[in-house]
């Protein structure tokens, strides 16, 4: 089952990589940019920081982390889709960012030493992995003691009327957008499936605790349609 999900996700993102950034803007009405900006503001990344962006995709969040970390900081993005990384590398080259490296790898088994990064992030990627808890444990492992792990992800809205509208949009409208704008109906059907089965913010907070974090703060966006989880790894 794990292998099956990994293969399907890999195939999806290999297929939609060239349209991914455009479609993100269309699907979220560009609200994902505001959510990430607010998340970054709350993170308050200081210059000179080291950061890892897991499931970095086309490296949008990676680039923002690099801007915050500055020339004395180091940022690594990791993703298992070669095509998504290729788009990200072009983007970073255009920005002349020398403090960033993008590598191919699996979030389920991060190829880094323990206690390595000041910040570890994952943006709209956790829902696509086979085992949420395993990835959170890996993020915990590679974060430094006192370091921060942040997940910005779709969530489960709870307000009755909004919830019904939200799922109608995700199940019916979003795949049609994918078909119309990116010729990718099946791929965008997968994205709504992965969002629908993803834990709500309270359940995800519980998984953070299970992964080893003692304190987890949550910020909801758009009536609960998305949420950021902020967790610090305890000092040794």
């Amino acid at each position: 089952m794990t292998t099956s999900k990994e293969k399907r996700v890999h195939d999806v993102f290999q297929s939609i990589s060239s349209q991914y950034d455009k479609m993100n803007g269309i699907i979220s009405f560009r609200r994902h940019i505001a959510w990430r900006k607010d998340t970054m503001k709350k993170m308050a990344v200081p210059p000179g920081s080291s950061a890892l962006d897991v499931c970095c995709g086309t490296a949008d969040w990676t680039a923002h982390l690099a801007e915050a970390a500055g020339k004395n900081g180091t940022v690594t993005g990791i993703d298992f889709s070669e095509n998504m990384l290729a788009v990200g590398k072009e983007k970073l080259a255009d920005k002349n960012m020398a403090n960033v490296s993008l590598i191919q790898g699996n979030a389920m088994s991060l190829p880094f030493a323990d206690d390595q990064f000041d910040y570890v992030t994952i943006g709209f990627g956790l829902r696509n992995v086979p085992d949420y808890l395993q990835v959170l444990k890996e993020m915990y492992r590679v974060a430094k003691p006192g370091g921060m792990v942040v997940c910005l992800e779709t969530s489960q809205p709870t307000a009755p009327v909004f919830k019904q509208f939200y799922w109608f949009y995700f199940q019916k409208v979003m795949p049609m957008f994918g078909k119309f704008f990116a010729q990718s109906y099946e791929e965008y059907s997968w994205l709504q499936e992965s969002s629908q089965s993803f834990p709500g913010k309270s359940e995800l907070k519980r998984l953070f605790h299970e992964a080893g974090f003692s304190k987890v703060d949550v910020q909801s966006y758009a009536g609960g349609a998305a949420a950021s989880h902020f967790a610090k790894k305890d000092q040794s």
Side-chain angles (χ1 to χ4, degrees):
M1 183 176 179
T2 294
T3 303
S4 173
K5 181 173 182 179
E6 285 185 329
K7 183 180 186 306
R8 186 178 181 191
V9 170
H10 183 265
D11 291 347
V12 164
F13 285 99
Q14 288 285 91
S15 173
I16 67 175
S17 57
S18 63
Q19 301 292 329
Y20 181 78
D21 289 335
K22 179 180 79 173
M23 288 304 300
N24 258 4
I26 292 170
I27 289 168
S28 75
F29 304 100
R30 296 185 64 80
R31 294 309 300 158
H32 71 290
I33 297 173
W35 302 336
R36 185 174 60 234
K37 183 177 180 180
D38 185 68
T39 299
M40 283 290 293
K41 182 179 179 181
K42 288 178 169 58
M43 289 169 63
V45 178
S49 297
S50 60
L52 171 67
D53 190 18
V54 179
C55 299
C56 67
T58 60
D60 272 353
W61 200 352
T62 320
H64 285 288
L65 288 165
E67 289 171 358
K71 62 181 180 180
N72 293 324
T74 57
V75 178
T76 303
I78 184 169
D79 199 278
F80 75 161
S81 168
E82 305 93 325
N83 291 352
M84 294 285 278
L85 288 171
V87 174
K89 287 175 181 177
E90 287 185 14
K91 195 179 296 182
L92 294 175
D94 291 341
K95 294 175 180 288
N96 294 315
M97 289 185 163
N99 62 336
V100 187
S101 59
L102 298 182
I103 64 172
Q104 186 182 12
N106 195 326
M108 298 276 288
S109 181
L110 295 172
F112 305 105
D114 297 356
D115 306 332
Q116 190 169 338
F117 300 97
D118 297 310
Y119 294 88
V120 185
T121 62
I122 185 166
F124 302 106
L126 189 60
R127 70 182 186 271
N128 295 314
V129 304
D131 188 328
Y132 311 135
L133 179 58
Q134 172 61 22
V135 172
L136 291 176
K137 286 180 176 178
E138 278 292 278
M139 294 173 75
Y140 178 91
R141 178 182 66 80
V142 301
K144 292 179 181 178
M148 180 181 287
V149 171
V150 182
C151 173
L152 170 58
E153 187 53 273
T154 58
S155 192
Q156 304 288 343
T158 55
V161 175
F162 178 72
K163 179 180 180 180
Q164 292 169 352
F165 168 79
Y166 175 83
W167 287 121
F168 173 81
Y169 172 76
F170 253 74
Q171 293 168 358
K172 305 296 183 182
V173 179
M174 190 179 78
M176 292 305 297
F177 277 176
K179 181 178 181 180
F180 182 78
F181 291 105
Q183 293 75 54
S184 300
Y185 182 89
E186 291 300 324
E187 286 82 354
Y188 282 90
S189 292
W190 157 252
L191 294 181
Q192 66 86 10
E193 288 174 32
S194 64
S195 296
Q196 191 165 12
S197 61
F198 193 70
K201 59 187 179 182
S202 296
E203 173 63 12
L204 184 55
K205 183 176 181 178
R206 187 191 65 77
L207 289 177
F208 266 88
H209 286 306
E210 192 173 341
F213 299 97
S214 58
K215 187 175 186 298
V216 184
D217 295 320
V218 182
Q219 173 65 55
S220 291
Y221 299 109
S228 283
H229 287 66
F230 304 84
K232 280 203 170 185
K233 183 173 179 177
D234 287 344
Q235 294 281 359
S236 299

